[in-house]
Amino acid sequence: MVKVLVLSPGEKAVSRVRPAVVAGRFYPEDSRQLRDDVEELLAGVSPSSPSGPKALIAPHAGYAYSGPIAATAYAQLAPVRDVVRTVIVIGPAHRVAVAGVALAACDAFATPLGDVPTKPTAGGELAHLHFVQISEHVHELEHALEVHLPFLQTALAGPFEIVPLVVGDASAQQVHTLLETLWGGPETLIVTSSDLSHFLSYEEAQRVDAQTSVDIVAMEPSRLSERCACGRVVIQGLLLSAATQGLSAQLLDLRNSGDTGGGRECVVGYGAFALS
């Protein structure tokens, strides 16, 4: 059950901002450098649709490795940059074991580009889902959501709020149920955070990731293998919801760390997809 924070009579709420814990490691800590880097990445990509996506699947590694691939996803937001006001950012747990799904307990996430507020009503909207908890600890060191925020801050024109969710021991059906609860209208965007294959040779990663991309575009979540993506369950849940809503998936980019910034003996795969 969702844990709800209750204030005592006369007690004032204290704003809690989750700091940018991977700034300076996954992306630049200097705000000007970060803004310049993200704008440069986005400038090299044109949106493939005049209507913009409802959901994105994008990687969450350091920008030197996955930044160009992530940019192909975020460039698709140009047609809806003035429309989106709520972003559901959902990805897999890397640091803390999670029973179910953890919603962040903070009021905002900080990045060098400024604070991004969290949606204050999200806990209440998810209160009926027994597998959702509210946690500060789960999100404290997690990078899978944070790395997307500078892209969102640059790609979207107006103020927006986020619903930050980390998925642990949960099923695709539970993720589907959660997303259906938060689905909203054109003002709500879903960002699914996931890298693809991990620590394979360059050639093997290409083979595995190519099959994963085929399965995603075919909207076949059951075909996704356990080793295909760290956020496999999150992607599966998104595909279930997308099918229910009549969306289709488009492959935007498919590369790995051997293509962008690393050696080819052992690589991590990255894919970018838009669903509309």
Side-chain angles (χ1 to χ4, degrees):
M1 180 176 293
V2 171
K3 301 172 184 176
V4 180
L5 299 176
V6 180
L7 299 178
S8 301
E11 183 181 2
K12 293 183 178 180
V14 178
S15 177
R16 292 160 297 156
V17 178
R18 186 258 191 202
V21 296
V22 295
R25 294 189 291 131
F26 280 55
Y27 58 83
E29 190 172 18
D30 178 79
S31 60
R32 181 175 297 179
Q33 184 64 58
L34 176 58
R35 176 75 70 178
D36 289 346
D37 286 358
V38 174
E39 287 181 347
E40 183 178 354
L41 287 168
L42 292 172
V45 188
S46 299
S48 59
S49 168
S51 58
K54 173 64 180 181
L56 298 172
I57 300 172
H60 54 232
Y63 286 10
Y65 298 99
S66 69
I69 296 85
T72 64
Y74 285 104
Q76 308 307 311
L77 298 181
V80 294
R81 65 190 311 265
D82 295 304
V83 176
V84 174
R85 291 292 177 264
T86 300
V87 184
I88 303 161
V89 189
I90 182 167
H94 291 83
R95 301 288 184 174
V96 178
V98 181
V101 179
L103 173 68
C106 59
D107 299 304
F109 274 55
T111 84
L113 302 183
D115 293 350
V116 181
T118 57
K119 186 177 183 180
T121 60
E125 293 175 47
L126 299 174
H128 65 289
L129 301 179
H130 67 87
F131 56 87
V132 177
Q133 60 177 291
I134 292 179
S135 172
E136 179 179 351
H137 179 55
V138 168
H139 288 263
E140 190 174 19
L141 298 176
E142 181 58 58
H143 68 275
L145 309 188
E146 178 185 329
V147 296
H148 293 284
L149 301 184
F151 276 104
L152 288 166
Q153 288 173 296
T154 306
L156 296 178
F160 66 95
E161 56 191 11
I162 59 172
V163 181
L165 297 157
V166 168
V167 178
D169 184 14
S171 68
Q173 183 61 47
Q174 287 174 326
V175 174
H176 165 49
T177 300
L178 183 154
L179 292 177
E180 287 289 289
T181 300
L182 298 172
W183 194 261
E187 80 291 339
T188 301
L189 171 74
I190 299 168
V191 171
T192 301
S193 174
S194 181
D195 294 337
L196 299 183
S197 64
H198 283 58
F199 312 131
L200 303 178
S201 69
Y202 181 83
E203 293 76 14
E204 180 68 1
Q206 284 189 313
R207 187 188 68 78
V208 172
D209 294 340
Q211 184 59 54
T212 299
S213 70
V214 168
D215 295 337
I216 290 174
V217 171
M219 305 288 286
E220 293 285 355
S222 63
R223 293 183 185 175
L224 297 177
S225 67
E226 290 188 7
R227 70 170 184 163
C228 76
C230 57
R232 176 180 65 95
V233 171
V234 186
I235 294 173
Q236 287 175 317
L238 173 63
L239 293 179
L240 290 173
S241 292
T244 299
Q245 297 288 338
L247 305 186
S248 59
Q250 175 191 8
L251 172 63
L252 303 169
D253 199 353
L254 188 66
R255 286 182 269 176
N256 63 52
S257 57
D259 297 311
T260 53
R264 295 194 169 188
E265 292 184 1
C266 185
V267 304
V268 176
Y270 311 121
F273 303 83
L275 290 90
S276 57

